[in-house]
Amino acid sequence: MNPVELVFFKLVSHEIELSEFERWVYSESQLEEILSSGDYLELISINYKTPSGLYEAEKVLSNYFSMGKYYEWNIRNILQKITDRPNDVQKYIEQCYDLYCEGFDFMDNLGMGYGLGLTCPDYYNEKVDDYYPQILGEVEKVLEWLDNGKIVITGHSGEYQGIEYEDNRSVEEKVPTGYKVQESKKWWQFWL
């Protein structure tokens, strides 16, 4: 992945502030080589202090970088954080639920089985420690699907829940197992 693409991905995922991106736009010489002269002029003309600055920058740069590649990069980042288990790992596990809700149905085991339990803690009474080491097996499965081309993310259709991807998994691999994480608890434990 080239450095310009990485900065774009970080912008879209809100890993860098818009003000930092603006400074980068004015200093990055490769942008002039990558973008058409009209798009480069548009990018350096954006008022990054307005709420629409992020949208306008994404609009220009999305013509040059694959959103499918961005989504895969983002999912891999989240899964790596779950594997690394930083102090704030809970937010990454919760993001698996968000990804599932956004249309990444192959994230059902991580999203529904683990992320939902943390998203609704009053209902499920879950703790991050309860998920390890089992969650790592689910992370490895998704990474394997991405690595082996069983899941190929192609992009976004522009519609609500319009994530597009090719699902080349076997019927057995598509069977949700994440629900069993929650089912393994006794029914009365949900209300404790």
Side-chain angles (χ1 to χ4, degrees), residues 70-71 74-75 78 94-105 107 155-157 159-165:
Y70 161 73
Y71 287 121
N74 188 44
I75 289 170
I78 291 168
E94 289 175 357
Q95 286 177 358
C96 291
Y97 176 70
D98 296 337
L99 288 167
Y100 171 74
C101 292
E102 289 173 16
F104 293 105
D105 294 342
M107 296 287 291
H156 195 285
S157 69
E159 299 174 9
Y160 178 71
Q161 291 188 341
I163 305 301
E164 296 177 346
Y165 62 91

Side-chain angles (χ1 to χ4, degrees), residues 123-187:
Y123 181 73
Y124 291 109
N125 201 18
E126 294 290 319
K127 297 181 192 100
V128 171
D129 292 338
D130 296 339
Y131 293 156
Y132 284 86
Q134 300 84 355
I135 193 172
L136 297 176
E138 293 296 333
V139 166
E140 287 174 19
K141 280 197 303 190
V142 173
L143 288 172
E144 184 178 309
W145 295 334
L146 291 168
D147 291 342
N148 296 334
K150 290 187 176 190
I151 297 291
V152 179
I153 304 170
T154 56
H156 195 285
S157 69
E159 299 174 9
Y160 178 71
Q161 291 188 341
I163 305 301
E164 296 177 346
Y165 62 91
E166 296 173 16
D167 191 341
N168 302 311
R169 296 177 295 161
S170 68
V171 173
E172 294 81 23
E173 290 171 315
K174 292 180 183 181
V175 173
T177 59
Y179 306 106
K180 294 178 183 171
V181 173
Q182 301 304 337
E183 290 174 2
S184 65
K185 297 222 173 253
K186 302 293 183 211
W187 65 270

Side-chain angles (χ1 to χ4, degrees), residues 100-116:
Y100 171 74
C101 292
E102 289 173 16
F104 293 105
D105 294 342
F106 63 90
M107 296 287 291
D108 58 350
N109 296 336
L110 286 166
M112 296 298 287
Y114 296 97
L116 182 61

